[in-house]
Amino acid sequence: MAFLVAGTLQVASQIADARESLGRKGKYSMRGPRVALTLSSPEVSASIVAVLEGVFRTLGFESCQRREASVQGFLGELAAFREQLDALGGPVGCALVALVAPSGQLKQPQQLVRELSRCGALWGRPKVFLLLSSAPGAAPEPGAFLTGLSELCGRFPHWSLLQLLTEVFCRTAEESEATYCPVLRSSLRGALCLGDAEPWGPEPEPSPTARYDLSGTRAALLLSVIHGRPGARHDVEALGTLCQALSFKTTLRTDPTAQAFQEELAQFRECLDAHRAPVSCALVALMAHGGPQGQLLGADGREVRPEALVQELSRCRALCGCPKIFLLQACRGGHRDAGVGPAGLPWFRRWLRASPTTPSHADVLQIYADAQGSSPFPTAGSSDQADILTVYAAAEGCVAYRDETGSDFIQTLVEVFRADPGREVLELLTEVNRRVCQLEVLGPDCPERRKACLEIRSSLRRRLCLQA
């Protein structure tokens, strides 16, 4: 009996600690040590590593390690780092890993991300990856991204990391003469403030010029396969109502074929280019079944790549420098995530009234940038990929859940955006992800409870607020 009581209290303590990791007001509390690791290939200049170490110190990281290795050795070094953290015997507040290598050599960074996500000491805690490319033979001095990040971290310690990165992205694009823009991928469930300042204090308001001007026309295109997707009509109705409330002129097309997906995007782009008044924002929702490699399936069962649809709208002249939002409600594979966390008996869950698990893909922020401003990182964006916000209903390779009442993603998004439409969009989407991550799904073809997690990709260069 004493063993069972002790086990119950241990699980309760772990769950309480995971809850506290998000702190008050949806912010990570950062309790526990902050650890940083720089993995760099031998070709990387010492000046770049020095700037990184300065950024780490500014952000309050007590432990900053550096290991030099070939790119092929990064995985082994990261596994050793994970084992080191687990050996600490307690939770870690935050981990920041900088991966610096010549352009094109970091071809499968997700393996590295998954390795650190297995760390028990980081369960429910933020894991930040800074993936920096360096061009062989380029000047050894850091470029606009690193210098801007170093400066802003010191000037605005109250700002969340996503807010800081948006400002850095803006400066990077300006200094590179709009030829390159970094990209971030986030599954964070709360605001992440890394500065030494008290994270619960008020955040300083950014200057008005740091926001997108949304005074022009707003246009939305909703493409949804209804047939064979129970609840899809509820998503269309809810999203249509939200778009109307946010002053978007909305076009709806249901049951498009794969070819029609492409044709509708092309026609949407042409209409915006022909619009006489200025256009300030576009929103495209793509809702369909998904293929095993993240494809969208049209009503005819044929495939279309969502990247091709994003690229189509990127060519829109009327939207140059304006935000382009893509919402993708579709499966990205067949994996069903059981989540990670302390193992407990089913009755523990009912007694504690909380799920003891979080999605295994949650709490990760990846930043893809160029260390020297000379050539874009392979998965970062060129200038025509700037100002794009893409939100996936599921992590890469995972199932997106939906039932007769609609999808978890769309229904939660509409609820959050309607409650506080004037809030910055990245902050709203982080809250959407937090709520989706709390849900447990018990589907008709899945007897065990499963978790879901959003993926937010952004190359936005200003704060985006859909309502003044």
Side-chain angles (χ1 to χ4, degrees):
M1 178 61 72
F3 175 77
L4 284 176
V5 171
T8 303
L9 292 177
Q10 182 182 16
V11 172
S13 174
Q14 288 174 305
I15 293 173
D17 185 68
R19 283 174 168 173
E20 181 61 23
S21 72
L22 280 175
R24 291 172 282 172
K25 300 180 181 178
K27 295 184 179 181
Y28 290 100
S29 69
M30 305 298 293
R31 291 177 59 189
R34 303 183 188 184
V35 293
L37 170 69
T38 299
L39 290 178
S40 60
S41 63
E43 303 92 335
V44 175
S45 69
S47 59
I48 291 177
V49 175
V51 171
L52 280 172
E53 291 175 347
V55 170
F56 296 161
R57 288 192 295 269
T58 301
L59 295 176
F61 283 81
E62 300 95 345
S63 172
C64 303
Q65 304 178 31
R66 181 199 176 186
R67 301 177 188 175
E68 186 175 289
S70 65
V71 175
Q72 292 76 16
F74 279 10
L75 184 60
E77 294 288 349
L78 201 54
F81 182 64
R82 172 182 59 79
E83 293 170 358
Q84 176 186 338
L85 297 184
D86 280 333
L88 293 175
V92 174
C94 177
L96 194 161
V97 177
L99 306 171
V100 195
S103 299
Q105 289 196 16
L106 277 174
K107 296 181 179 179
Q108 294 182 318
Q110 296 310 306
Q111 288 184 349
L112 305 174
V113 173
R114 287 192 292 269
E115 180 62 40
L116 196 61
S117 295
R118 295 170 49 208
C119 180
L122 285 168
W123 171 59
R125 303 304 177 107
K127 297 164 280 288
V128 182
F129 287 82
L130 184 55
L131 299 101
L132 295 169
S133 66
S134 61
E141 294 304 313
F145 176 82
L146 273 183
T147 53
L149 181 63
S150 178
E151 176 194 349
L152 289 170
C153 286
R155 287 181 57 194
F156 303 111
H158 283 96
W159 282 13
S160 73
L161 188 53
L162 291 184
Q163 186 175 347
L164 280 168
L165 289 171
T166 300
E167 178 66 21
V168 174
F169 286 9
C170 180
R171 295 191 180 192
T172 302
E174 289 175 351
E175 294 192 25
S176 65
E177 298 181 349
T179 59
Y180 162 70
C181 182
V183 177
L184 67 83
R185 296 172 64 174
S186 172
S187 62
L188 296 178
R189 296 178 295 136
L192 177 56
C193 301
L194 292 176
D196 288 330
E198 169 58 45
W200 318 126
E203 294 183 358
E205 282 295 319
S207 64
T209 56
R211 296 192 180 192
Y212 285 104
D213 178 8
L214 300 187
S215 59
T217 299
R218 307 180 189 186
L221 175 64
L222 311 184
L223 300 176
S224 177
V225 175
I226 303 293
H227 181 71
R229 298 180 66 243
R233 195 170 297 278
H234 292 291
D235 282 350
V236 169
E237 293 171 355
L239 200 53
T241 302
L242 176 65
C243 288
Q244 183 178 10
L246 295 175
S247 303
F248 281 87
K249 296 182 178 180
T250 306
T251 301
L252 169 65
R253 298 288 185 266
T254 59
D255 290 325
T257 63
Q259 183 177 349
F261 268 105
Q262 189 77 48
E263 292 173 348
E264 290 291 346
L265 255 297
Q267 185 175 350
F268 183 63
R269 174 183 59 79
E270 292 168 359
C271 288
L272 294 181
D273 279 336
H275 200 271
R276 294 186 177 182
V279 180
S280 61
C281 182
L283 184 151
V284 176
L286 308 171
M287 297 172 279
H289 285 300
Q293 303 299 322
Q295 313 94 322
L296 292 174
L297 302 183
D300 56 352
R302 295 182 179 273
E303 301 175 354
V304 60
R305 300 294 305 183
E307 295 81 5
L309 304 179
V310 173
Q311 185 178 14
E312 180 66 49
L313 197 60
S314 298
R315 296 168 47 211
C316 181
R317 297 186 304 275
L319 287 170
C320 181
C322 300
K324 297 164 276 287
I325 306 170
F326 289 85
L327 307 177
L328 281 84
Q329 169 54 43
C331 293
R332 303 177 69 193
H335 176 66
R336 297 180 182 273
D337 187 6
V340 293
L345 297 175
W347 62 271
F348 283 2
R349 298 186 182 187
R350 295 193 295 271
W351 179 68
L352 294 167
R353 297 182 181 179
S355 167
T357 60
T358 59
S360 59
H361 300 273
D363 306 305
V364 175
L365 175 62
Q366 303 172 57
I367 307 142
Y368 297 82
D370 184 359
Q372 294 162 310
S374 52
S375 62
F377 192 86
T379 40
S382 55
S383 59
D384 62 346
Q385 296 300 310
D387 308 300
I388 295 176
L389 175 62
T390 306
V391 191
Y392 298 88
E396 189 173 344
C398 292
V399 171
Y401 294 101
R402 167 187 41 78
D403 59 21
E404 289 77 7
T405 63
S407 65
D408 295 335
F409 168 43
I410 297 297
Q411 296 298 321
T412 305
L413 180 142
V414 170
E415 177 185 349
V416 169
F417 274 61
R418 289 186 69 87
D420 195 1
R423 195 173 168 191
E424 202 271 330
V425 166
L426 284 178
E427 295 175 3
L428 288 171
L429 289 171
T430 301
E431 172 63 14
V432 173
N433 188 42
R434 185 187 69 82
R435 298 190 187 188
V436 170
C437 287
Q438 286 182 334
L439 300 175
E440 286 193 316
V441 181
L442 190 62
D445 57 345
C446 182
E448 299 294 330
R449 296 182 183 273
R450 294 292 182 256
K451 308 293 291 188
C453 179
L454 307 186
E455 181 184 321
I456 303 164
R457 296 189 186 185
S458 173
S459 60
L460 296 180
R461 295 180 289 178
R462 288 175 174 79
R463 286 169 63 84
L464 175 57
C465 302
L466 296 177
Q467 191 172 94

